Amino acid sequence: MKAAVETLTPLRSKDPFDVWSIRSDFPILNRKVNGKPLVYLDNAATTQKPMCVVDSLRRYYLEDNSNIHRGVHYLSQKATEGYENSRKNLCGFINAQQTQEIIFVRGTTEGINLVANSFVKKRINAGEEILITGMEHHSNIVPWQIVCQETGAILRVAPINDKGEIILEEYEKMLSPKVKFVSLVHISNSLGTVNPVKQMIEMAHAHDIPVLIDGAQTVSHMKLDVQDLNCDFYVFSGHKMFGPTGIGVLYGKSEYLENMSPYQGGGDMIKSVTFEKTIYNDLPYKFEAGTPNIAGATALGAASDYINKIGIDNIYAYEQDLLAYATQALLSVDGLRMIGAAKNKSAVISFMLEDVHPHDIGTIIDSEGVAIRTGHHCTQPVMQRFGIPATARASFAMYNTKDEVDALIRSIEKAKKIFR
Ligand code: PLP
C-alpha cells in the first residue's frame, strides 16, 4: 500500500486540496498492476470508488437491506430513508428546484432512452427534426435514430471544427422551425471539449425547442447548476462520479415530466390498478417502475456528499492544472499528435503516436501499470470526422497526480522504442 503513495509529490501550497489524503480514500489506487503501481487514467470510462461509497453499499446490504416504499417495518423504512435522502442530496448537488425532478435510472444511456421514448417520440412527426452535434457519444445518437426510424423524423448533426469545437453559427442556423428537440453533450468523452451549453440552450429556447444535456462527463469535474443552465433535461451516470455502476439520474423540469407518459409499467409507478384502468403515481415514482437499485442510489448520495466535501470548484481548479501539465508533457513527445484542441477543455486527452495503432500503445502502456483507453470511445462519428480509426485516451480525475502524468510519458516513450 505504502509504495504507491510514496511516489507522490508532497502537497504544494497552490494545490486546492491534499491529493494524498484523497488517494487514501480510494484503496484500489494503491494496488499494483503487472508488478507496477497502478496509474489509473481511464476515468472517462469509469471512476474509482472511495471508501465512503463502498461502506454505503456494505452498510445497506449488511444492515438495511429491504424493499422500499411499500413496507411499514423498520428495515423498509431505513432503506426508503437512504434512497430518498440520496434523492435530496442529488437535487442539491445539481441545484434542481425540487426532488421530484430527480428520477433514478440505470445511467446516462437509460435517461436518454427514457426521454426519447416518453417525450420526443410522442411529440415528433415525419419530416420534423432532432438536432445533435458531431461529437456525441453513441448513447446520444442511437436512441434518436430509433425515434427517427419509428416516426419518420430526421436526425440532423451540427458540425464541429478541426479543434473539436462546435461551430456555433452552423448550430444556430440549423435551429429551424422543423427542429422539435435538441440533445447535446456537455463534455465530449473523446475530445474533452466543454461545450457552451448554456448559450446553446438559450439559442434553442429562442425557438421554443426543448433541450437535453448529456452530462456523463461533467458531474465529477465541474459545477453543475441545472436551473442556471435552464436545460429541460439533464442526464448523468453514478459510476463516472465515484458512485456505483447501474445507477444514474435523469433530471427533468417538472412541467415536462408531469405531462410525460411512463417509460415502463410495473410496481411502484402506480397509484391504483384495475383491469380496466391504471392511475399512475406522482413524480418521480411514475418513472421508477419495479424494485430499483436501492443500494446504488443510496451510495450515489454518498458519492455526491464526498464530492461536496472536497468542493467541485477545487476539483475543477486541480484538474485544469493537471490538464495543462499533461498537455505540455504529451506535446513534448516526438511524433505524438493530439486529437481535440478546444479552447475550453476538460481533463481528457486523446492522442495518436506516429503510425502505431492505439491498441498497441495501450497494451505496452498497460504492461507498465498505466491504464488508458484505446479505441473509438463510443464516438465512431468523431473518429470519422478526424479520419482515424481510434485514439489512445488518457482521462484524469481529482486523485491523479503529475507524477502519474510523468509515468504515462515514460511508458509512451517505451512504446515508441518498441515500435520503431
Ligand atoms: N455520454 C457520454 C458523453 C459518455 O462519456 C458516456 C459513457 O462513457 C455515456 C454517455 C454513456 O454512459 P453510461 O454507459 O454510463 O450510460
Side-chain angles (χ1 to χ4, degrees), residues 90-112:
L90 290 155
C91 178
F93 185 66
I94 64 170
N95 195 31
Q97 211 168 38
Q98 31 193 341
T99 51
Q100 65 185 40
E101 295 175 324
I102 304 294
I103 315 287
F104 283 123
V105 288
R106 278 193 297 129
T108 307
T109 304
E110 192 180 42
I112 296 173

Side-chain angles (χ1 to χ4, degrees), residues 44 107-109 137 139 185 187 189 214 216-217 237 239-240:
T108 307
T109 304
H137 187 278
S139 306
V185 70
I187 297 179
N189 64 305
D214 168 355
Q217 296 297 337
S237 303
H239 70 99
K240 294 188 199 279

Side-chain angles (χ1 to χ4, degrees), residues 4 107 113 184 206 238 252 254 262 285 298 337:
N113 277 278
L184 308 169
S254 56
Y285 314 112
T298 306
R337 177 163 70 101

Side-chain angles (χ1 to χ4, degrees), residues 258-300:
E258 291 283 6
N259 295 313
M260 282 161 58
S261 45
Y263 180 44
Q264 294 175 330
D268 231 26
M269 53 74 72
I270 53 94
K271 270 189 180 156
S272 70
V273 178
T274 64
F275 285 121
E276 289 72 37
K277 185 177 167 60
T278 289
I279 298 176
Y280 302 137
N281 208 340
D282 296 326
L283 289 177
Y285 314 112
K286 185 172 79 171
F287 292 106
E288 294 180 1
T291 301
N293 182 353
I294 306 165
T298 306
L300 183 55

Side-chain angles (χ1 to χ4, degrees), residues 21-36:
S21 146
I22 287 178
R23 287 180 72 91
S24 69
D25 292 335
F26 292 80
I28 201 170
L29 297 178
N30 290 324
R31 68 160 292 168
K32 289 194 169 178
V33 167
N34 295 322
K36 309 273 168 54

Side-chain angles (χ1 to χ4, degrees), residues 81-92:
E81 205 176 279
Y83 185 81
E84 291 302 334
N85 278 343
S86 170
R87 199 192 304 276
K88 278 189 210 144
N89 282 3
L90 290 155
C91 178

Side-chain angles (χ1 to χ4, degrees), residues 255-417:
E255 70 235 48
Y256 284 124
L257 294 175
E258 291 283 6
N259 295 313
M260 282 161 58
S261 45
Y263 180 44
Q264 294 175 330
D268 231 26
M269 53 74 72
I270 53 94
K271 270 189 180 156
S272 70
V273 178
T274 64
F275 285 121
E276 289 72 37
K277 185 177 167 60
T278 289
I279 298 176
Y280 302 137
N281 208 340
D282 296 326
L283 289 177
Y285 314 112
K286 185 172 79 171
F287 292 106
E288 294 180 1
T291 301
N293 182 353
I294 306 165
T298 306
L300 183 55
S304 72
D305 274 349
Y306 184 76
I307 293 174
N308 282 338
K309 199 176 79 186
I310 295 163
I312 193 72
D313 291 335
N314 291 333
I315 294 173
Y316 179 78
Y318 180 84
E319 289 183 2
Q320 284 295 306
D321 185 45
L322 199 58
L323 172 66
Y325 182 82
T327 304
Q328 217 173 24
L330 282 162
L331 285 175
S332 70
V333 175
D334 193 32
L336 188 141
R337 177 163 70 101
M338 269 185 205
I339 310 293
K343 210 163 147 209
N344 194 0
K345 252 188 102 166
S346 184
V348 170
I349 301 180
S350 261
F351 61 91
M352 313 279 292
L353 188 61
E354 292 165 349
D355 52 1
V356 185
H357 194 282
H359 289 310
D360 294 332
I361 303 171
T363 309
I364 302 296
I365 288 178
D366 179 58
S367 69
E368 296 297 303
V370 180
I372 60 163
R373 186 147 297 246
T374 59
H376 52 65
H377 318 296
C378 293
T379 56
Q380 283 185 350
V382 171
M383 302 299 122
Q384 286 149 18
R385 166 66 180 79
F386 288 93
I388 50 178
T391 72
R393 180 189 72 185
S395 54
F396 301 87
M398 62 179 172
Y399 41 60
N400 291 126
T401 67
K402 291 180 181 172
D403 301 284
E404 291 185 312
V405 173
D406 297 343
L408 169 67
I409 301 295
R410 283 195 300 277
S411 65
I412 293 174
E413 293 291 0
K414 184 168 177 188
K416 259 176 64 178
K417 278 194 197 122

